[in-house]
Amino acid sequence: MKGLTRVMLSATLFLCTLAGLGACNFNLTEQPLSSRIILDATFKPAPVFKNVNLLRSINLEKGFVRESINVQIENIHSKAQDEYYVPFSAGVVDRVGGLEVRDRKDPDKAGFEVALVEFDSFSPTQFYRIRLPEALKPNDQQTLSISYWILSAFEPLPAAIEQLQKQYLAYQFSAYTPSAYATSKQKTKVKFLNADIPDFTTLPAKNNDEGKQDPQRQGSTFVYGPYSNIPPGVDEPVRVRYEFTKPVNHVSVLERDLEVSHWGGNLATEERYQLVNNGARLSKNFNRAAWATAAFYNPTTSALRELRFPLHGSASDPYYTDDIGNVSTSRFRSNIREATLELKPRYPLFGGWRYKFRVGWNANLKKYLRRIEKSTAPTSSAGTNAPTDGYILKVPFLEGPRQPEGVEYEKVIVRVTLPEGATNVRYQFAAGAAAGRPVSLVAVEMGLHKTFLDTLGRTTLTMVAVNLVDDASGKDIYVTYSLPLSAVLRKPLTIVTGLLAVFVMAWFVGKIDTSIGRGGR
């Protein structure tokens, strides 16, 4: 792409026309790229805080790990402090996504600023820095709610199973919550899919404040602790092996294209998937007859059999193809409120099996695009001002399938192709507790994409994110742009001019005398 530039939204936009009726207020915030803070190689968080009380919850009900930490912190330093550090092991930090920090007592407020610290690539521990909105005074306390997910965290054990055999996953973590600060009291809860947990590490009762052997089993939940007076950096590795006879869906790359057409009033969406099941592999060759027989009583299986795409109610004209061609095993249902696209791959996806496919659909642009007040903006390098039409586009950053076992995305590339001649392009994610989890953007680029009947090319906004899961599908992105009248008329004028040139050329060629010999006899 030529002329790549980075664009960031620097001001709150007037979006009252988005609702269509009356006045409205939108809680928006600037969404920066995922940043890294470079510090000295000898960096170590100063012991300026103390964790008064900490409760960690680990959820293993899906094909990725979901963790949440509620911690009450206290400033034990003589000066006010506004930087709190959260440690991760070097092998985990690159697979952490959706890290969000809020005030536990006021969750409706905007999330805190979070950035990854880069100080020593060979260090076994890396840190995320949390910037408190207001510096915490000495001896003051604040309760933080920290949540995130971890991708590719499981190991199938055994690594190979039979076609209809139960699948077990192993997960290793620390019974003590990793922290850069001393913890006065803490507890960890682990939630499993069911109560089938044949193997797990036990800890002696002397470590528990209540004199109980850990873990304490409560149905499909394990409890570790309470523990008291844990020094910073202390690790107590434990391992659990539990039944998870479902596919472990992992999308290595998702390319998502959204094309806006003002003339057609259409929003065209296409998604290209590179999907793999990270579950246990087959110990024997696949038996098609046994698979067909088992379909009559529908047993639980670790293979992926179908995908369900919830779409907007205005979605229409869906298609589903793979490397071979069109796939007919799909079903589309829609009504005024919603639509559902159900897909069945050409073959069931067992552990280690891969599948590349693409899906696409059209939607009514009026459901996503609103026109805002006309503005006067420079349209040339000379600074000539001309009235332009402003537009705001609201689209989901991620849609994709919603499965009971979850779907994780290693890399997501979203391209928003705007009409030819679009200028002043800005983007912004919706904010607030109801806006969904944060998206870890690593690159944002502006470029041009040429297609049929284009002259200069269509303005394209490309965003690259990593470490997402299907829980992030509720995150909307707002794209604003200006479209001058000259740009709107460029395409029809180009077509008319081209056709006129063809007719003139045909008339001119028809007037040429191609006869042989003298004329005028």
Side-chain angles (χ1 to χ4, degrees):
M1 293 183 182
K2 297 182 179 180
L4 298 181
T5 58
R6 295 185 180 273
V7 292
M8 300 298 298
L9 185 60
S10 59
T12 303
L13 301 175
F14 183 72
L15 304 177
C16 289
T17 55
L18 184 64
L21 295 173
C24 59
N25 293 321
F26 285 81
N27 182 18
L28 300 182
T29 184
E30 182 176 326
Q31 177 69 31
L33 300 181
S34 299
S35 59
R36 290 176 179 261
I37 302 172
I38 302 177
L39 300 177
D40 188 79
T42 59
F43 166 77
K44 184 178 180 180
V48 296
F49 287 104
K50 176 180 69 174
N51 299 325
V52 178
N53 195 7
L54 186 150
L55 174 62
R56 176 175 60 159
S57 298
I58 303 176
N59 192 301
L60 304 180
E61 294 179 302
K62 291 193 173 185
F64 50 87
V65 180
R66 292 176 292 172
E67 290 198 17
S68 62
I69 300 173
N70 294 323
V71 54
Q72 183 181 7
I73 63 175
E74 179 182 344
N75 182 6
I76 59 176
H77 198 261
S78 59
K79 297 181 179 180
Q81 303 292 328
D82 64 349
E83 293 184 354
Y84 183 88
Y85 291 89
V86 178
F88 290 94
S89 64
V92 172
V93 69
D94 289 334
R95 294 182 280 111
V96 173
L99 198 152
E100 183 181 45
V101 183
R102 294 184 180 274
D103 189 336
R104 175 67 176 174
K105 296 182 179 180
D106 195 357
D108 293 333
K109 283 187 177 181
F112 298 172
E113 177 187 339
V114 178
L116 180 63
V117 175
E118 181 176 329
F119 65 100
D120 182 5
S121 58
F122 297 101
S123 173
T125 303
Q126 303 293 331
F127 297 92
Y128 271 93
R129 188 198 69 181
I130 299 172
R131 176 83 71 178
L132 304 181
E134 297 181 4
L136 203 60
K137 297 179 180 180
N139 300 322
D140 282 0
Q141 296 183 352
Q142 185 172 8
T143 303
L144 305 181
S145 177
I146 307 171
S147 56
Y148 53 89
W149 51 68
I150 305 175
L151 275 62
S152 303
F154 306 124
E155 175 190 358
L157 193 65
I161 60 176
E162 294 185 2
Q163 192 165 305
L164 299 178
Q165 186 179 348
K166 283 187 177 182
Q167 175 180 262
Y168 289 87
L169 302 180
Y171 178 57
Q172 183 169 331
F173 59 98
S174 175
Y176 299 153
T177 303
S179 178
Y181 311 99
T183 304
S184 299
K185 186 176 182 179
Q186 69 168 262
K187 180 185 290 186
T188 296
K189 294 183 178 181
V190 185
K191 184 70 172 69
F192 300 94
L193 183 64
N194 52 50
D196 187 0
I197 313 166
D199 301 314
F200 50 88
T201 304
T202 58
L203 299 178
K206 63 180 181 179
N207 296 352
N208 190 297
D209 291 349
E210 300 174 353
K212 299 179 181 179
Q213 188 182 60
D214 287 328
Q216 305 159 47
R217 193 162 185 169
Q218 301 173 359
S220 59
T221 302
F222 278 3
V223 178
Y224 294 85
Y227 306 121
S228 298
N229 301 323
I230 305 300
V234 175
D235 186 31
E236 184 64 54
V238 294
R239 183 177 177 134
V240 293
R241 177 174 170 266
Y242 61 98
E243 189 260 330
F244 190 87
T245 312
K246 292 187 176 185
V248 184
N249 303 314
H250 178 88
V251 177
S252 55
V253 178
L254 165 61
E255 296 183 71
R256 174 172 160 83
D257 294 341
L258 300 103
E259 184 174 331
V260 178
S261 173
H262 280 218
W263 282 100
N266 184 64
L267 177 66
T269 303
E270 180 175 283
E271 298 181 341
R272 297 178 292 278
Y273 290 83
Q274 297 182 24
L275 176 65
V276 60
N277 184 351
N278 279 344
R281 299 175 180 269
L282 290 179
S283 58
K284 300 179 181 178
N285 292 333
F286 173 62
N287 190 324
R288 173 67 71 174
W291 177 259
T293 303
F296 288 100
Y297 57 92
N298 195 25
T300 304
T301 176
S302 61
L304 177 63
R305 292 183 290 192
E306 66 177 1
L307 295 166
R308 291 174 175 265
F309 288 74
L311 305 177
H312 193 276
S314 64
S316 61
D317 308 323
Y319 59 89
Y320 169 35
T321 63
D322 58 15
D323 291 342
I324 299 177
N326 182 61
V327 185
S328 60
T329 52
S330 63
R331 181 183 180 186
F332 179 69
R333 295 178 294 177
S334 65
N335 53 45
I336 299 177
R337 296 182 178 180
E338 61 183 2
T340 303
L341 178 60
E342 301 174 356
L343 312 178
K344 287 189 177 181
R346 292 184 183 273
Y347 48 86
L349 264 68
F350 286 92
W353 291 19
R354 299 178 180 272
Y355 187 54
K356 294 182 180 181
F357 67 97
R358 69 178 62 195
V359 295
W361 59 90
N362 295 319
N364 187 352
L365 186 60
K366 292 182 180 180
K367 302 296 183 179
Y368 300 89
L369 188 69
R370 293 293 183 270
R371 188 173 178 175
I372 56 180
E373 293 181 354
K374 286 188 176 182
S375 60
T376 301
T379 57
S380 67
S381 58
T384 303
N385 292 343
T388 60
D389 288 339
Y391 295 92
I392 179 165
L393 177 72
K394 176 188 175 184
V395 291
F397 184 83
L398 177 69
E399 288 184 89
R402 297 303 299 267
Q403 303 292 112
E405 65 275 5
V407 182
E408 62 181 24
Y409 300 85
E410 183 177 346
K411 183 178 181 180
V412 177
I413 304 173
V414 177
R415 300 184 186 91
V416 181
T417 302
L418 302 174
E420 188 176 21
T423 58
N424 302 327
V425 181
R426 300 290 186 269
Y427 78 96
Q428 190 171 22
F429 285 100
R437 301 290 289 277
V439 174
S440 302
L441 289 181
V442 296
V444 177
E445 297 176 344
M446 284 292 298
L448 294 176
H449 172 70
K450 289 188 177 182
T451 183
F452 301 106
L453 299 177
D454 286 342
T455 54
L456 301 177
R458 302 186 185 186
T459 305
T460 302
L461 170 65
T462 303
M463 295 166 284
V464 182
V466 295
N467 299 339
L468 296 180
V469 299
D470 54 2
D471 290 347
S473 60
K475 193 71 171 180
D476 290 328
I477 183 170
Y478 296 90
V479 180
T480 61
Y481 59 94
S482 300
L483 194 64
L485 181 60
S486 58
V488 176
L489 298 178
R490 180 181 289 117
K491 190 179 292 293
L493 289 177
T494 301
I495 297 174
V496 171
T497 303
L499 292 175
L500 183 61
V502 171
F503 288 130
V504 171
M505 184 63 67
W507 174 82
F508 180 76
V509 172
K511 288 296 183 178
I512 298 176
D513 186 6
T514 59
S515 61
I516 300 176
R518 297 180 180 179
R521 284 188 175 183

